[in-house]
Amino acid sequence: MNVLVANLGSTSFKYRLFDMTEAGASLLASGGFERVSEYSPCIEKMLEDLVAEGHIGLADELDAVGFKTVLGKDLSGCVDADDQVLTALEGFKEVAPAHNPAYAEGIRCFQQRCPGVRRVALFETAFYQWVDAAAANYAIPADWRALGIRRNGFHGASHKFIAERTAELVERNDVAERVRQLYVQGPGEFSGVPLRVISCHLGGSSSVTGILNGIAIGTSMGFSPQSGLPQNNRVGDLDSMAIPYACKMLGITVEEAETQLTQYSGLLGLSGVSNDARDIREAAAAGNADAQLANDAMVDSIRHWAGSFFFKMGGLDVISFTAGIGENDVTLRAEVCAGLQDLGILIDPDANAAIRGGKEGVISAADSTVKVVVIPANEELVIAREVFRHVAVGDALS
Ligand code: AMP
């Protein structure tokens, strides 16, 4: 079965075509377009190229198209990308302005151009459907909650992949299989030995998720991807009183405050140097105190959230690092795990230094009771796998 993964940025369109079987995935083709103002011509050109290169016979000979949708109002999961998905995306277009309108337009374009091809939406919030109400709710009045303001969580595709891969790495096939079937069959009952994982997705956008027996129990991001850890240029967690106070004192509007908090904050705002972790590390090494502060605030926030999940799960078996910073920044990984030997977490410095540049590996010492691992992210592959399960396994069940 071939699955096309469509990655719709607000000004870009990227795609990958996979051949999916029960045994695994192979990449058939990939490509993309930058500075896009309309998706329709890009989709047309992509289909032409896929036919010309012989990957598909006719333009609509795709088996499925997968979309990594971000946030839907009153809708989550891995679902057919039909009208209810479009309504859900439009219902929260103000909350995810860079993502929701782009995906709604892209889905409509595929609907018109290839009406016979199955379209599947995998919401980034999907992995958090089973987080309990105590962790998912903000302490706000009922009419705010009725608007759908709650902790949603994001990076669901990435963290779910980590849930499955960590279980495989510690030879817990019962948990890995539970994760594989999660969006098709739900979590069901679990009576095995507990497996407690903390997943750190650290990149341009970052989050930490606690995963118990393959299911997320909480995550650092909340209502929007604006919260949790300091992001590249987004603020992360902030006391709500800071916004009206800053508006009054700086004489700015709420919209201006939003722009500052979504574009000029986070690592960029704190460091004053860059939104890129490599530049910040370099500036800190050269003695820039603000750059050092940005790095330290990121490390502190990762430890804050990881500590919370350690407590909630009553301990820990595996901690995992993924995405650009998590896969490459050896120093940051060591800083996150420093001084935790009494909790059973001990990094092997040589192993840590050796795993970077897209490699997978264990970086904990032999006598660390918690396994510390690095697992490369591959978002398109994750989406293709979920779409394949949704279509193939879902059809087999119905
Ligand atoms: P991502 O969003 O997963 O592509 O990650 C982007 C982030 O990863 C940027 O902040 C980069 O600075 C960071 N990154 C990429 N390579 C490295 C590296 N070798 N060392 C530290 N950070 C890195």
Side-chain angles (χ1 to χ4, degrees):
M1 169 177 152
N2 66 35
V3 173
L4 181 85
V5 176
N7 187 340
L8 301 159
S10 45
T11 60
S12 66
F13 172 78
K14 295 183 192 136
Y15 65 89
R16 286 195 189 175
L17 180 68
F18 293 93
D19 179 33
M20 305 297 299
T21 64
E22 282 296 339
S26 58
L27 181 65
L28 298 176
S30 64
F33 307 85
E34 298 292 339
R35 299 199 194 134
V36 166
S37 55
E38 242 191 300
Y39 294 122
S40 188
C42 305
I43 292 170
E44 205 56 54
K45 175 78 174 77
M46 172 196 74
L47 292 171
E48 264 174 35
D49 289 351
L50 292 177
V51 172
E53 289 159 16
H55 300 300
I56 52 177
L58 289 170
D60 56 0
E61 275 183 6
L62 294 165
D63 293 313
V65 184
F67 302 92
K68 188 176 65 123
T69 44
V70 174
L71 177 61
K73 187 164 172 57
D74 305 325
L75 186 67
S76 188
C78 185
V79 294
D80 282 297
D82 52 16
D83 287 347
Q84 77 167 334
V85 166
L86 293 172
T87 305
L89 291 174
E90 267 148 26
F92 267 158
K93 61 178 186 291
E94 291 87 0
V95 187
H99 301 102
N100 279 14
Y103 272 100
E105 191 196 329
I107 290 170
R108 278 207 179 88
C109 283
F110 275 97
Q111 205 169 24
Q112 280 158 11
R113 180 59 184 83
C114 337
V117 176
R118 184 96 174 247
R119 295 174 301 279
V120 179
L122 172 63
F123 281 96
E124 282 288 69
T125 52
F127 193 41
Y128 307 102
Q129 294 172 85
W130 299 278
V131 170
D132 68 26
N137 275 282
Y138 291 117
I140 48 177
D143 53 349
W144 286 51
R145 280 179 278 137
L147 292 176
I149 299 176
R150 65 194 297 280
R151 292 183 203 276
N152 290 306
F154 297 90
H155 295 139
S158 173
H159 289 296
K160 181 172 182 279
F161 175 67
I162 298 297
E164 181 178 343
R165 187 68 194 134
T166 50
E168 287 169 357
L169 289 174
V170 296
E171 294 175 6
R172 286 294 306 274
N173 195 47
D174 57 333
V175 174
E177 192 52 23
R178 188 178 195 220
V179 179
R180 280 179 211 123
Q181 304 304 336
L182 189 58
Y183 296 160
V184 182
Q185 296 186 346
E189 288 298 311
F190 183 82
S191 53
V193 177
L195 179 62
R196 302 158 300 185
V197 174
I198 291 173
S199 170
C200 305
H201 176 110
L202 310 174
S205 174
S206 303
S207 63
V208 176
T209 293
I211 303 169
L212 181 61
N213 306 324
I215 314 295
I217 57 133
T219 188
S220 57
M221 274 182 173
F223 179 48
S224 79
Q226 176 75 0
S227 50
L229 313 185
Q231 313 290 333
N232 59 353
N233 59 357
R234 287 174 281 128
V235 62
D237 286 337
L238 178 74
D239 188 309
S240 62
M241 284 310 280
I243 298 174
Y245 181 70
C247 286
K248 188 172 154 212
M249 300 307 284
L250 299 173
I252 57 175
T253 62
V254 172
E255 288 72 27
E256 285 164 338
E258 187 197 325
T259 302
Q260 293 187 8
L261 295 173
T262 54
Q263 294 178 31
Y264 302 102
S265 295
L267 298 178
L268 172 65
L270 259 185
S271 71
V273 169
S274 168
N275 64 8
D276 189 299
R278 281 167 292 198
D279 301 338
I280 292 171
R281 172 82 54 214
E282 206 178 291
N288 182 319
D290 288 340
Q292 188 63 51
L293 175 63
N295 176 77
D296 294 350
M298 171 107 181
V299 171
D300 187 78
S301 187
I302 298 165
R303 287 166 64 97
H304 167 88
W305 282 102
S308 153
F309 300 129
F310 189 102
F311 218 88
K312 282 191 184 188
M313 294 190 289
L316 185 63
D317 301 298
V318 184
I319 180 163
S320 163
F321 291 93
T322 191
I325 300 174
E327 288 166 34
N328 293 296
D329 194 332
V330 170
T331 310
L332 180 128
R333 293 191 304 236
E335 289 171 343
V336 168
C337 297
L340 300 181
Q341 55 277 6
D342 288 354
L343 300 182
I345 301 170
L346 191 62
I347 293 258
D348 175 333
D350 294 334
N352 186 28
I355 305 290
R356 49 191 309 188
K359 280 196 220 148
E360 180 182 276
V362 176
I363 59 169
S364 42
D367 56 348
S368 178
T369 54
V370 174
K371 258 201 168 49
V372 186
V373 299
V374 177
I375 298 173
N378 181 345
E379 292 196 302
E380 282 82 7
L381 175 62
V382 170
I383 296 157
R385 287 161 62 155
E386 292 301 341
V387 172
F388 174 67
R389 282 172 196 154
H390 178 80
V391 174
V393 183
D395 284 352
L397 287 175
S398 62

